[in-house]
Amino acid sequence: MGMKMKKSWVLPVLAAGILAAGLAGCEKKDPYGLSAKDPVTITIWHYYNGVQKEGFDQLVQTFNESKGREKGIIVEAYSKGSIDDLSQAVTDSIDKKIGSDPVPDVFAAYADKVYEIDQRDMAVDLSKYLTADEIGEYVDAYIEEGRFDGSEGIKVFPVAKSTEVFAINKTDWDKFAEATGETDAAFSSWEGITRVAEKYYKWTDSLTETPDDGKAFFGRDAFANYIIVGSLQLGHEIFRVEDGHVIMDFDRTAMKRLWDNYYIPYVNGYFGAFGKFRSDDVKTGQLAAFVGSTSGFAYFPTSVTLEDGTSYPIESKVYPLPNFSGTEPCAVQQGAGMMILKSEEKREYAASTFLKWFTGVDNNIRFSVSSGYLPVKKEAGVKERLETVLAENGEEDAAGENLLIGLETANKYQLYTTKPFEGGDQARAILNTTMADKAREDRETVLSLMAQGMSREEAVEQFTEESNFEQWYEDTKEQLETIIGE
């Protein structure tokens, strides 16, 4: 009897021991060797600053205290300043330049930079760490942006996106609208913006006795987007990449329409660019409206401070990006994704685990609300869901409106981003500067001629001739052809 009792006691204990060992074995059998007892530290470099950095850091901390602790992953995130500073820091680290930091596991990058790194065979194909169902959860266009080598591989992990919106100093606009009868219907097209800008200049000019001291109405950041997206709207994709080759379509007629709705109003003084960013120009009262990124709306001023020190509070309002009359709505798709640099599989897997967690619907919406970026998953892009979160967070003001307008743009417009190609950064730089710089320089000449006693109309006349456009067009086309090798 005693022997039987002893056996009945020993066997369960042995079974429990075997079960515990089995469970312990299961815990250790992470497919890539991750262990909570021996965590791996992943380094991420990004370019978020201000409220965006705060939002990102909070989520990193949440991950480290939850999923990261459970899986054995510690994330350390560092801001490297601007996207250009970050890009240079990554290049310096890869090239092992003196004074550079060790290469990170993950860094934020646009597709052009990832393409450059991928040419050195250092970019991880993220599809090995994502199932087909997981890939399907993301907005298709965001996934396609990371596919650029002719395969199904994904080299850019979408984490936060942005597009462009039209933002205006509503306080000053209301004064102008009441005096002139203008309505915000003009904001739907570039032609409408150009027409209203001229009227605004003349109205502000009429408020003083000094002739031709009217104010510019409009400006824009990221000028290359105007050229690239505007040309696409008008039926011409400037850079089309097929089988690794670049086909350029720099159409003269499309460029003329772009010229007429930026350069011409600019040299007349109806448009302007004065500070580093157009939000700075609204802050100083030099502009009333601008087009900028949804992620940059946090910098829209809440007051205007004039040159004489006078300051007054303003309200802002956000509208969808204007389009050319008679075209289908189109907007830029931007916002850097994350690239994982090749290392050992355990580190790559750990990095992908964090990125998947970060882009989980609730986490991604949380980051969107704090940063102004758009969420990247289809489920997170449902307007009603975002409205609920905004209401819960007390973000039903202009910042919340900005996010909802951005989401509406993402859902209703054709979103576009140029596929990366060798020399793509240089080509974009040309589009970003040639017309914009010429407009600014020629406006300065106009002001100089006016200071010498010439009327604005006479001073502007020499710059509005067709030959001026033709020279710009041919010069710019030649520069682009040199870069892409045509």
Side-chain angles (χ1 to χ4, degrees), residues 362 365-366 369-370 385-397:
D362 291 337
I365 290 179
R366 179 179 164 189
V369 170
S370 68
R385 181 159 189 170
L386 193 56
E387 285 177 328
T388 300
V389 176
L390 288 169
E392 290 172 352
N393 286 271
E395 295 283 353
E396 296 177 288
D397 54 5

Side-chain angles (χ1 to χ4, degrees), residues 181-338:
E182 280 292 344
T183 71
D184 59 7
F187 303 159
S188 65
S189 71
W190 292 119
E191 291 87 350
I193 299 292
T194 298
R195 180 184 59 77
V196 163
E198 178 178 1
K199 198 169 184 177
Y200 183 81
Y201 177 93
K202 292 177 178 178
W203 177 72
T204 52
D205 181 34
S206 72
L207 300 178
T208 69
E209 294 182 1
T210 305
D212 280 321
D213 68 340
K215 288 187 174 183
F217 174 73
F218 173 79
R220 68 161 297 138
D221 290 325
F223 187 77
N225 290 343
Y226 172 67
I227 299 290
I228 293 170
V229 174
S231 181
L232 184 70
Q233 273 193 327
L234 297 170
H236 300 275
E237 184 177 12
I238 297 179
F239 305 116
R240 190 170 76 256
V241 182
E242 293 183 1
D243 299 324
H245 299 291
V246 184
I247 301 169
M248 189 175 83
D249 184 6
F250 194 63
D251 183 74
R252 186 186 305 271
T253 302
M255 290 305 116
K256 183 60 166 61
R257 197 162 170 186
L258 288 157
W259 173 275
D260 288 345
N261 287 281
Y262 186 84
Y263 176 87
I264 298 299
Y266 196 110
V267 294
N268 272 286
Y270 311 152
F271 288 6
F274 308 99
K276 186 175 181 181
F277 301 107
R278 302 297 71 77
S279 56
D280 298 334
D281 299 337
V282 173
K283 172 70 176 175
T284 56
Q286 292 170 290
L287 294 179
F290 73 99
V291 160
S293 171
T294 52
S295 61
F297 186 77
Y299 301 102
F300 196 97
T302 55
S303 65
V304 166
T305 301
L306 302 176
E307 193 175 9
D308 63 4
T310 304
S311 181
Y312 57 93
I314 61 170
E315 291 182 45
S316 59
K317 189 169 178 59
V318 185
Y319 294 84
L321 183 73
N323 296 281
F324 281 102
S325 297
T327 65
E328 292 299 314
C330 184
V332 70
Q333 171 184 304
Q334 57 189 14
M338 293 284 181

